[in-house]
């Protein structure tokens, strides 16, 4: 299967600071990437759809000014958590949608980023 | 609206026995269905998908799933479970806009 990386895998920051998480599709190009948040033992909650070259589409209830998404190239999307607070602590997972051949429509997921805000 | 349901929070199976993880769906139009597995503190790994074609789909690690239109189900199966199959399993359906709608997840525990 295709490979998606995420960096960093874990980050601890102070309340009020900003944190940037990178998501890269390593062996395919992705016009569309997705950002999810997951709480322990729960399902994934979609935060936003990241579109290369255009603005992200945010799900209802997700603050676009707090969770900044940039999809600057066909292999890189970034999520910046601005002015992070303890309630933003969570497991953030990205995915990239494959758009070619037999793998069309398949989303491949990164390994996740554990964010802890103190 | 597109949705999936995984009726079992947990499934317990003895190693070597067959396993089934259930998923039912509700969609308008033809469904695109997926199964993913998640190990602790990791992202999701793609197992298999149904978009069109044969109702029996074979995927990674010996898993397969059967698309049943009349029962609106897409159960995940494996003939002989391994202890290493213990993980969290998610069923998902594609929304017309392209995003995935996930079920709540099923914790599979395989005991030696």
């Amino acid at each position: 299967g295709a490979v998606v990386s995420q960096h960093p895998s874990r980050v601890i920051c102070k309340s009020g600071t900003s944190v940037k998480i990178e998501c890269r599709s390593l062996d395919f190009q992705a016009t569309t990437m997705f950002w999810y948040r997951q709480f322990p033992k729960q399902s994934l909650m979609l935060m936003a759809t990241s579109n290369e070259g255009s603005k992200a589409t945010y799900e209802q209830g997700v603050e676009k000014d707090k969770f900044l998404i940039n999809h600057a190239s066909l292999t890189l999307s970034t999520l910046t958590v601005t002015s992070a607070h303890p309630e933003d602590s969570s497991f953030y997972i990205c995915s990239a949608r494959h758009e070619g051949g037999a793998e069309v429509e398949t989303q491949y997921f990164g390994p996740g980023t554990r964010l802890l805000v103190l | 609206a597109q949705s999936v349901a995984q009726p079992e929070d947990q499934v317990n199976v003895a190693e070597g026995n067959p396993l089934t993880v259930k998923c039912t769906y509700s969609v308008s139009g033809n469904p695109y269905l997926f199964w993913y597995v998640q190990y602790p503190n990791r992202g999701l790994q793609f197992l298999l998908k149904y978009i069109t074609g044969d109702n029996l789909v074979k995927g990674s690690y010996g898993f397969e799933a059967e698309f049943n239109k009349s029962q609106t189900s897409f159960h995940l199966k494996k003939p002989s479970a391994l202890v290493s199959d213990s993980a969290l399993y998610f069923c998902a359906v594609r929304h017309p806009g392209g995003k995935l709608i996930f079920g709540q997840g099923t914790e599979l525990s395989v005991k030696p």
Side-chain angles (χ1 to χ4, degrees):
Chain A
V3 180
V4 175
S5 69
Q6 245 180 278
H7 178 80
S9 59
R10 182 176 297 196
V11 57
I12 301 173
C13 68
K14 293 182 178 180
S15 185
T17 61
S18 294
V19 175
K20 180 186 282 188
I21 303 170
E22 292 186 349
C23 178
R24 294 181 184 273
S25 56
L26 298 185
D27 51 2
F28 67 101
Q29 293 183 330
T31 304
T32 307
M33 294 184 175
F34 301 86
W35 287 96
Y36 298 84
R37 185 172 176 175
Q38 186 181 31
F39 293 101
K41 298 289 187 180
Q42 293 189 23
S43 189
L44 280 71
M45 182 191 80
L46 179 65
M47 299 175 65
T49 302
S50 172
N51 305 297
E52 188 270 337
S54 65
K55 291 182 179 180
T57 304
Y58 290 82
E59 295 299 300
Q60 191 171 6
V62 178
E63 299 176 59
K64 63 180 181 181
D65 294 330
K66 181 169 184 61
F67 298 100
L68 300 179
I69 291 173
N70 183 277
H71 195 151
S73 77
L74 289 172
T75 58
L76 173 63
S77 175
T78 60
L79 168 69
T80 301
V81 183
T82 62
S83 186
H85 288 95
E87 58 265 30
D88 298 324
S89 299
S90 192
F91 193 52
Y92 292 86
I93 309 176
C94 73
S95 71
R97 187 171 66 196
H98 208 294
E99 296 164 357
E103 300 183 273
V104 66
E105 290 292 347
T106 303
Q107 287 188 30
Y108 290 94
F109 286 78
T113 296
R114 175 77 58 193
L115 171 63
L116 178 61
V117 184
L118 302 177
Chain B
Q2 321 288 86
S3 67
V4 291
Q6 293 178 242
E8 302 158 316
D9 290 336
Q10 182 148 5
V11 170
N12 298 308
V13 177
E15 187 176 30
N17 283 2
L19 70 86
T20 299
V21 183
K22 296 180 180 178
C23 173
T24 58
Y25 65 89
S26 175
V27 302
S28 54
N30 294 321
Y32 289 12
L33 296 160
F34 302 82
W35 274 103
Y36 288 87
V37 59
Q38 184 180 33
Y39 294 95
N41 297 308
R42 302 297 301 275
L44 276 64
Q45 293 181 31
F46 170 70
L47 286 178
L48 50 80
K49 68 181 178 186
Y50 172 83
I51 292 181
T52 187
D54 290 341
N55 290 342
L56 184 64
V57 179
K58 294 188 181 295
S60 305
Y61 311 119
F63 284 94
E64 58 187 31
E66 185 168 10
F67 171 67
N68 188 315
K69 190 172 183 178
S70 62
Q71 297 186 7
T72 62
S73 67
F74 189 56
H75 300 333
L76 182 70
K77 300 182 179 184
K78 187 173 183 180
S80 179
L82 300 173
V83 173
S84 57
D85 291 330
S86 298
L88 188 57
Y89 289 79
F90 289 101
C91 180
V93 64
R94 179 189 180 277
H95 185 276
K99 63 186 180 184
L100 290 180
I101 308 298
F102 284 90
Q104 64 268 41
T106 299
E107 186 87 39
L108 173 67
S109 177
V110 182
K111 300 294 186 186

